[in-house]
Amino acid sequence: MLAFYLYPFEPNQKAREYTEEDLKDPKIVEELFDYCQINEAYITKDGWELLTRYHGYEQLYEIDKRSGWFDEDTIEAFKKAVQQEIEDSIDS
């Protein structure tokens, strides 16, 4: 599993899994970041590996500026915040 979304207020629902194809689409990544910032979605270590390898930190930073998940003002601070998020992430 790379990432998943789970709306917390709907009982008995199944989590929506994000696929590799999903995580290659910047619009879907922006949506995922939106859900992550309100703790409704989570990115696993494997998901972060794919995101950083495919998009790179610079493109992820641009996506995040539209989403507003991280509050970092520079790419360097963003990289550190993402690296901390990866460290804190669950395994797949």
Side-chain angles (χ1 to χ4, degrees):
M1 182 181 302
L2 301 171
F4 62 93
Y5 165 79
L6 185 64
Y7 184 67
F9 303 107
E10 186 175 317
N12 303 321
Q13 71 164 315
K14 292 185 178 181
R16 175 196 174 203
E17 284 192 43
Y18 287 84
T19 65
E20 182 173 341
E21 184 177 317
D22 291 334
L23 295 185
K24 289 181 177 180
D25 183 329
K27 291 298 250 179
I28 294 176
V29 174
E30 183 178 345
E31 171 191 276
L32 176 61
F33 280 13
D34 288 342
Y35 288 134
C36 285
Q37 71 179 303
I38 57 173
N39 296 318
E40 292 181 2
Y42 302 90
I43 304 170
T44 66
K45 286 182 181 1
D46 288 344
W48 277 114
E49 181 181 329
L50 184 140
L51 287 170
T52 56
R53 186 181 68 240
Y54 185 80
H55 295 286
Y57 284 102
E58 291 77 16
Q59 186 175 5
L60 291 174
Y61 181 61
E62 293 304 316
I63 292 169
D64 181 65
K65 284 201 277 185
R66 293 190 301 273
S67 168
W69 179 18
F70 295 93
D71 292 329
E72 313 311 328
D73 292 335
T74 66
I75 185 69
E76 294 80 18
F78 175 76
K79 284 181 187 179
K80 286 182 183 180
V82 168
Q83 289 165 353
Q84 183 63 51
E85 188 69 28
I86 293 168
E87 190 174 307
D88 295 341
S89 294
I90 59 173
D91 292 328
S92 298

